[in-house]
């Protein structure tokens, strides 16, 4: 199993922790932002809507940069949004911060999963994807309680600063542990039996029209043998 898979899981853990941190700190945040508890609850909705509506567009915008550079750009956007959340002076600013972090989180998930498929050997891809997605499970089970504990002891802003520190650690690990490029396209194509080798995944066949057309075209020899 490539070590980069565990690094990607750490990044997802940090972002999921940020997503659910609000759930355990609603009374404290309501008091600090001069808002009601239901309004603070809408911050979770804003994060989710930003993920579904803006995340795919962000992923499409960074996909040409290459997987590692795309991950670093998304870390930078996420950190900017998280710092804005930790220092938000008012409720509207916090809404903007949650939208920024939600968009970056969803795009990060997509790039991380695609890169995992590219890095892992064919027989280990299922296990590698399970490891990466465990970052989501662990973030829900452990990240939320830890953020709540920090927020109750040190204040809700400290919880967001802690998430920012965790994301910064994950970004440093990504910079050091994730290769700049996946396996060579030709090698990936030989393993998968298809000619497309984009960084979304070996032989995906979706981004390469030539791969789709070649996969559906039979050689003259095979056509002759079929007619005979």
């Amino acid at each position: 199993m490539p070590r980069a898979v565990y690094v990607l899981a750490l990044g997802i853990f940090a972002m999921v922790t940020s997503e659910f941190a609000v759930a355990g700190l609603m009374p404290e945040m309501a008091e600090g932002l001069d808002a009601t508890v239901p309004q603070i609850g809408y911050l979770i909705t804003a994060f989710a809507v930003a993920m579904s509506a803006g995340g795919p567009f962000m992923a499409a915008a960074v996909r040409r940069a290459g997987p590692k550079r795309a991950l670093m750009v998304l870390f930078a956007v996420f950190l900017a949004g998280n710092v804005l959340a930790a220092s938000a002076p008012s409720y509207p600013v916090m809404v903007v911060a949650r939208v920024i972090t939600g968009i970056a989180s969803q795009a990060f998930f997509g790039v991380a999963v695609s890169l995992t498929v590219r890095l892992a050997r064919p027989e280990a891809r299922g296990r590698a994807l399970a490891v990466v997605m465990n970052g989501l499970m662990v973030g829900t089970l452990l990240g939320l309680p830890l953020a709540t504990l920090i927020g109750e002891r040190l204040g809700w802003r400290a919880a967001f600063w802690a998430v920012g520190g965790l994301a910064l650690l994950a970004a440093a690990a990504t910079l050091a542990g994730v290769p700049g490029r996946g396996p060579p396209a030709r090698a990936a194509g030989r393993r998968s039996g298809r000619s497309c080798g984009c960084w979304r995944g070996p032989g995906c066949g979706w981004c390469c029209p030539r791969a789709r057309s070649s996969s559906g075209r039979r050689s003259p020899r095979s056509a002759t043998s079929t007619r005979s």
Side-chain angles (χ1 to χ4, degrees):
M1 184 75 63
R3 285 183 296 180
V5 172
Y6 298 96
V7 172
L8 296 174
L10 177 62
I12 291 179
F13 169 76
M15 297 191 181
V16 171
T17 301
S18 175
E19 177 182 1
F20 293 109
V22 174
L25 300 171
M26 288 195 287
E28 294 86 352
M29 293 181 66
E31 182 179 355
L33 295 173
D34 193 22
T36 64
V37 171
Q39 285 178 320
I40 298 300
Y42 289 140
L43 294 175
I44 301 175
T45 303
F47 193 102
V49 171
M51 288 181 70
S52 60
F57 293 101
M58 173 66 84
V62 300
R63 68 186 179 89
R64 293 184 180 276
K68 184 173 183 177
R69 186 174 298 178
L71 291 173
M72 300 310 298
V73 169
L74 294 172
F75 268 125
V77 174
F78 177 83
L79 283 168
N82 206 75
V83 169
L84 184 62
S87 57
S90 62
Y91 179 78
V93 175
M94 176 59 79
V95 173
V96 173
R98 296 294 287 175
V99 169
I100 293 173
T101 52
I103 292 173
S105 296
Q106 178 61 32
F108 185 92
F109 294 168
V111 175
V113 169
S114 299
L115 183 57
T116 299
V117 173
R118 184 72 189 269
L119 292 174
R121 297 189 304 272
E123 63 274 13
R125 282 176 192 154
R127 186 173 54 172
L129 287 173
V131 169
V132 169
M133 297 311 297
N134 273 340
L136 191 154
M137 307 300 178
V138 176
T140 306
L141 293 176
L142 297 182
L144 172 58
L146 287 175
T148 302
L149 179 63
I150 294 173
E152 290 178 347
R153 298 294 177 87
L154 303 175
W156 66 269
R157 295 184 188 274
F160 283 95
W161 285 118
V163 171
L166 181 61
L168 191 61
L169 176 63
T174 300
L175 188 62
V178 174
R181 295 182 179 274
R186 291 182 180 179
R190 285 196 298 268
R191 287 198 302 267
S192 64
R194 284 180 278 183
S195 59
C196 180
C198 77
W199 64 268
R200 293 180 180 181
C204 74
W206 287 101
C207 64
C208 183
R210 184 178 301 174
R212 294 199 301 269
S213 61
S214 62
S215 62
R217 187 186 303 136
R218 294 184 300 176
S219 64
R221 181 177 299 178
S222 61
T224 303
S225 60
T226 303
R227 287 196 299 269
S228 62

